[in-house]
């Protein structure tokens, strides 16, 4: 969640430059001072070794393994007998030529877009509201946000199942009392649309606090002088917002949107625990689809191919921002 | 700037409505858990648990394997947070206090690692774990959870290490400490609050993890609480009292942790976000 924002890496950078351990000049290694300075030069790498090793082995290896599996014909028979049967691009051909995969991609993209737009719009509005409130009311709203944020995902999912339960669920009762009598006994998990509606409400409810609280914290770092300068120029409150607040928060908003896209796109527990991708596979997004095809139906190779394509879709969606981050890291070198 | 009466009322009114909206599901979970079944399945909702009972909690706690799973969850979560803190502390120290070739590249690597699509790599992980005969074990869970929380731990700890004045370390070294001693004696105690706040997010991630344990551990004795909770409702039918009691028990540790550490953690995150 620590996100690079435009050109602001000042945390300890000067200190680092001062403390820089110069690499030993070539040829001086064998002098008496050689050993300690070489040791000093190796120190950062030694300190980073555990983290690097963990990343390579625990993240890199599964990624590579996933790539290899996706080119294998791997079903229960091969699994049990420990057979490795390469089948080239058959898995990819099967996935990409079947219509279902593209439906799932479309569904995942729409699902992600709807959720992220709702999260960002309401998260930003609530963040700005927090900045306007008095300290007591702010604390009250913060407590509410933090409680929603802190709810473990599976616990939150069971609570939403209960809120939207067909019988005795409080949502149906309220809708009935509001005069929508056909909803008195409504089964929310019966159709694709209403299942997604419940999942979306759950995800948006749990995601808004992160955006709102951090956005509020970011607004507190806006220098007062900027507003004073703006009001000298005769800016009203709307102009204050568009000419000072918004530009200041822009890097933060980009970063948060990017993170939310990734998180929502990868949501697994909420959808799976809600209804396992049902009814009738209609709420399967890409991660669920990969799981159901790969593990549920035991077409492990096929599932690995879907996983790989999922990563590609995710990269495509986030590439714009990723390029921005990487470019900016280069600029600072 | 003078605001009209309406201008002063509407933000507060909105805040109250929003507060109610955000808190209600959490409230409803606890309220239901304490209500006798008759009140839970009343035609009109009973808004307050006036006849509070602990029977649903008893049922949840008496459910098969409950205490084993609590122990499993606590073990896996605490160990993975500890491991990642130790590894991340080394890395964060090197990344903030030293200048060396490849530093930027490593930071980018950890930023990318933080976005790792664990949810879609579960098939590959399953195969790796199976090939090493480690299915139905807590070891792979601990190991992978450590990796899941590691990048964020490194990136947030960096901010806390950077916040410790360099001069403190230098003066300790002038007084004859080695760099390592200076770190242990001077910097580490100052980092304690940062370590606590940072571990909050690791704790939540590991405590929450669902897809990996779902596929790796079929043996009920080796599962964790999220999986148990997701299956609880199926096992207990429409016993919402017991399900909400189970959810409450599962959520309570995190809710308490958050309330204690939230302020520090949020400011740590924000610093991280602003400073990168």
């Amino acid at each position: 969640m620590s996100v690079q924002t435009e050109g602001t890496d000042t945390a300890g950078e000067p200190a680092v430059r001062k403390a820089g351990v110069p690499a030993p000049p070539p040829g001086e290694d064998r002098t008496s001072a050689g050993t300690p300075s070489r040791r000093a030069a190796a120190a950062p790498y030694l300190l980073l070794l555990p983290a690097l090793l963990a990343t390579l082995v625990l993240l890199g290896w599964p990624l590579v393994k996933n790539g290899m599996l996706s080119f294998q014909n791997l079903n229960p028979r091969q699994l049990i007998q420990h057979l490795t049967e390469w089948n080239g691009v058959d898995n990819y051909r099967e996935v990409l030529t079947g219509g279902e995969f593209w439906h799932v991609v479309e569904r995942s993209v729409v699902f992600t877009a709807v959720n992220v737009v709702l999260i960002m719009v309401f998260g930003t509005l609530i963040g700005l509201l927090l900045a306007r409130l008095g300290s007591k009311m702010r604390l009250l709203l913060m407590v509410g946000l933090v409680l929603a944020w802190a709810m473990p995902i599976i616990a939150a999912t069971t609570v939403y199942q209960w809120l939207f339960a067909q019988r005795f669920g409080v949502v149906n009762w309220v809708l009935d009392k509001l005069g929508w009598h056909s909803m008195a006994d409504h089964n929310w998990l019966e159709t694709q649309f209403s299942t997604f509606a419940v999942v979306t409400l759950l995800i948006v409810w749990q995601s808004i606090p992160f955006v709102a609280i951090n956005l509020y914290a970011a607004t507190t770092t806006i220098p007062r002088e900027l507003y004073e300068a703006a009001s000298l120029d005769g800016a009203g409150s709307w102009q204050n917002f568009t000419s000072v607040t918004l530009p200041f928060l822009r890097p933060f908003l980009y970063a948060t949107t990017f993170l939310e896209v990734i998180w929502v796109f990868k949501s697994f527990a909420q959808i799976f625990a809600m209804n396992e991708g049902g009814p009738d596979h209609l709420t399967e997004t890409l991660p669920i689809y990969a799981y159901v095809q790969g593990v549920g139906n035991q077409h492990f190779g096929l599932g690995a191919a879907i996983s790989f394509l999922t990563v590609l879709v995710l990269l495509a969606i986030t590439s714009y921002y990723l390029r921005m981050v990487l470019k900016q890291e280069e600029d600072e070198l | 700037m003078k605001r009209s009466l309406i201008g002063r009322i509407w933000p507060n009114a909105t805040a109250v409505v929003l507060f109610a909206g955000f808190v209600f599901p959490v409230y409803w979970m606890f309220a239901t858990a304490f209500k006798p079944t008759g009140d839970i399945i009343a035609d009109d909702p009973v808004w307050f648990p006036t006849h509070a009972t602990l029977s649903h909690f008893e049922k949840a706690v008496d459910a098969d394997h409950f205490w084993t799973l609590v122990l499993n969850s606590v073990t896996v979560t605490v160990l993975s947070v500890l491991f990642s803190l130790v590894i991340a502390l080394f890395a964060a120290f090197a990344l903030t206090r030293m200048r060396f070739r490849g530093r930027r590249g490593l930071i980018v690597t950890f930023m990318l690692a933080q976005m790792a699509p664990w949810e879609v790599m579960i098939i590959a992980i399953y195969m790796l774990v199976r090939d090493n005969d480690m299915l139905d074990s807590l070891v792979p869970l601990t190991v992978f959870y450590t990796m899941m929380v590691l990048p964020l731990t490194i990136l947030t700890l960096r901010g806390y290490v950077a916040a410790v004045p360099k001069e403190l370390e230098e003066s300790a070294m002038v007084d004859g400490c080695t760099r390592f001693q200076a770190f242990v004696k001077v910097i580490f105690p100052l980092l304690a609050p940062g370590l606590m706040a940072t571990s909050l997010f690791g704790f939540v991630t590991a405590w929450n993890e669902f897809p990996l344990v779902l596929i790796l551990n079929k043996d009920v004795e080796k599962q964790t609480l999220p999986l148990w909770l997701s299956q609880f409702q199926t096992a207990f039918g429409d016993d919402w009292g017991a399900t909400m009691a189970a959810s409450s028990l599962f959520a309570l540790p995190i809710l308490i942790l958050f309330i204690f550490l939230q302020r520090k953690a949020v400011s740590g995150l924000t610093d991280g976000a602003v400073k990168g």
Side-chain angles (χ1 to χ4, degrees):
Chain A
M1 265 168 274
S2 175
V3 180
Q4 194 70 24
T5 45
E6 279 166 35
T8 49
D9 190 326
T10 50
E13 189 73 12
V16 167
R17 293 225 166 87
K18 262 186 281 164
V21 183
E28 275 181 36
D29 286 1
R30 257 168 276 159
T31 62
S32 56
T35 320
S37 84
R38 198 160 55 182
R39 227 169 64 193
Y45 299 105
L46 284 176
L47 288 172
L48 280 157
L49 193 66
L52 267 178
L53 220 58
T55 308
L56 281 179
V57 174
L58 299 172
L59 183 56
W61 192 20
L63 272 175
V64 172
K65 179 83 180 171
N66 189 68
M68 284 160 59
L69 290 175
S70 69
F71 296 106
Q72 289 175 20
N73 179 27
L74 189 60
N75 296 314
R77 193 176 76 86
Q78 290 83 354
L79 187 77
I80 291 163
Q81 299 181 6
H82 286 262
L83 298 174
T84 306
E85 287 178 14
W86 300 96
N87 66 352
V89 293
D90 283 5
N91 291 328
Y92 290 97
R93 190 178 301 135
E94 188 177 339
V95 172
L96 293 172
T97 53
E100 200 180 355
F101 174 76
W102 296 107
H103 281 302
V104 179
V105 171
E106 192 187 332
R107 187 184 299 147
S108 299
V109 171
V110 173
F111 169 74
T112 307
V114 169
N115 274 275
V116 173
V117 167
L118 289 173
I119 292 166
M120 289 313 297
V121 169
F122 286 103
T124 306
L125 288 175
I126 295 174
L128 294 172
L129 176 68
L130 280 172
R132 266 194 80 170
L133 290 171
S135 60
K136 276 184 200 145
M137 286 309 264
R138 181 186 306 140
L139 185 69
L140 180 82
L141 184 49
M142 282 275 215
V143 168
L145 292 169
V146 166
L147 285 176
W149 187 9
M151 274 287 274
I153 294 172
I154 299 289
T157 310
T158 58
V159 175
Y160 271 71
Q161 285 174 320
W162 166 224
L163 292 172
F164 287 88
Q166 184 173 9
R167 298 186 60 219
F168 310 116
V170 71
V171 174
N172 282 353
W173 181 87
V174 168
L175 291 173
D176 181 35
K177 287 291 160 196
L178 289 176
W180 203 345
H181 300 301
S182 62
M183 297 301 285
D185 209 22
H186 183 70
N187 180 1
W188 288 84
L189 301 183
E190 199 173 49
T191 69
Q192 179 188 30
F193 184 77
S194 63
T195 307
F196 265 132
V198 177
V199 171
T200 299
L201 191 68
L202 165 65
I203 291 180
V204 170
W205 172 75
Q206 276 213 288
S207 309
I208 282 178
F210 173 77
V211 178
I213 293 177
N214 282 290
L215 191 111
Y216 160 66
T219 61
T220 59
T221 63
I222 302 178
R224 289 271 116 217
E225 299 83 57
L226 290 181
Y227 288 110
E228 282 159 20
S231 60
L232 281 181
D233 291 343
S237 57
W238 173 249
Q239 278 160 322
N240 259 339
F241 177 72
T242 53
S243 66
V244 181
T245 314
L246 207 58
F248 193 87
L249 295 178
R250 187 165 292 137
F252 178 83
L253 288 171
Y254 275 138
T256 317
T257 309
F258 168 73
L259 281 175
E260 292 294 346
V261 167
I262 291 179
W263 288 338
V264 172
F265 188 84
K266 294 195 304 181
S267 319
F268 182 94
Q270 294 96 334
I271 302 174
F272 191 82
M274 186 67 76
N275 203 13
E276 303 202 359
D280 199 21
H281 300 284
L282 285 172
T283 56
E284 283 176 1
T285 52
L286 276 167
I288 310 280
Y289 184 60
Y291 175 83
V292 169
Q293 287 295 320
V295 183
N297 300 342
Q298 307 218 310
H299 301 309
F300 298 95
L302 199 67
I306 298 170
S307 303
F308 185 76
L309 292 168
T310 304
V311 176
L312 287 188
V313 173
L314 189 56
L315 279 177
I317 297 176
T318 53
S319 58
Y320 173 73
Y321 183 78
L322 268 182
R323 218 174 52 206
M324 218 161 81
V325 170
L326 292 175
K327 194 167 173 307
Q328 170 195 317
E329 287 289 337
E330 276 166 21
D331 290 347
E332 285 174 24
L333 267 174
Chain B
M1 195 164 34
K2 236 177 127 185
R3 281 188 194 146
S4 64
L5 188 63
I6 292 170
R8 268 176 288 149
I9 288 176
W10 80 257
N12 292 327
T14 318
V16 171
V17 171
L18 285 170
F19 169 78
F22 277 96
V23 163
F24 185 73
V26 185
Y27 167 74
W28 205 235
M29 171 179 79
F30 285 115
T32 307
F34 284 106
K35 279 188 284 193
T37 305
D39 283 2
I40 294 173
I41 55 170
D43 283 334
D44 290 319
V46 177
W47 299 101
F48 301 101
T50 36
H51 310 284
T53 166
L54 288 176
S55 64
H56 302 303
F57 286 97
E58 282 164 22
K59 196 166 181 179
V61 168
D62 288 342
D64 290 343
H65 315 293
F66 175 75
W67 292 107
T68 314
L69 298 180
V70 169
L71 190 65
N72 288 352
S73 266
V74 170
T75 310
V76 167
T77 304
V78 169
L79 284 181
S80 53
V81 169
L82 279 180
F83 290 153
S84 68
L85 275 183
V86 172
I87 300 174
L89 197 55
F90 292 142
F93 184 76
L95 289 174
T96 21
R97 285 289 206 253
M98 297 172 176
R99 182 132 188 102
F100 54 93
R101 193 185 287 266
R103 180 172 163 274
R104 280 279 162 205
L106 283 173
I107 294 175
V108 174
T109 307
F110 293 129
M111 284 168 65
L112 289 173
Q114 193 195 315
M115 302 158 201
W118 294 103
E119 290 79 358
V120 294
M121 292 198 308
I122 49 179
I123 294 170
I125 295 176
Y126 171 76
M127 297 299 294
L128 287 170
V129 172
R130 186 197 69 124
D131 291 347
N132 289 290
D133 287 322
M134 297 280 267
L135 290 175
D136 289 323
S137 155
L138 296 181
V139 177
L141 291 186
T142 310
V143 166
F144 282 106
Y145 294 179
T146 303
M147 184 59 218
M148 278 180 203
V149 301
L150 182 64
L152 181 66
T153 313
I154 295 175
L155 294 169
T156 38
L157 263 187
R158 222 157 53 100
Y160 287 105
V161 174
V164 176
K166 182 96 187 100
E167 290 73 29
L168 286 178
E169 203 182 334
E170 280 165 355
S171 63
M173 282 161 78
V174 170
D175 291 345
C177 285
T178 63
R179 190 161 204 180
F180 180 73
Q181 285 169 329
F183 180 77
V184 173
K185 288 184 188 161
V186 181
I187 305 181
F188 191 73
L190 290 172
L191 280 178
L195 289 171
M196 304 246 292
T198 309
S199 52
L200 174 65
F201 293 97
F203 201 94
V204 173
T205 309
W207 190 253
N208 257 326
E209 204 287 330
F210 177 74
L212 210 56
V213 65
L214 170 72
I215 175 170
L216 292 183
N217 292 15
K218 300 288 179 217
D219 177 0
V220 188
E221 292 277 314
K222 297 293 180 191
Q223 293 178 347
T224 55
L225 287 171
L227 196 50
W228 173 76
L229 187 52
S230 78
Q231 291 160 354
F232 191 88
Q233 203 212 331
T234 329
F236 281 77
D238 275 344
D239 188 344
W240 289 109
T243 305
M244 288 303 104
S247 301
S248 305
L249 289 173
F250 177 61
L252 206 57
I254 298 287
L255 292 178
I256 291 171
L257 263 183
F258 243 89
I259 288 164
F260 276 112
L261 292 175
Q262 178 273 127
R263 197 175 290 262
K264 280 190 197 107
V266 168
S267 69
L269 264 187
T270 320
D271 291 350
V274 176
K275 291 170 191 161

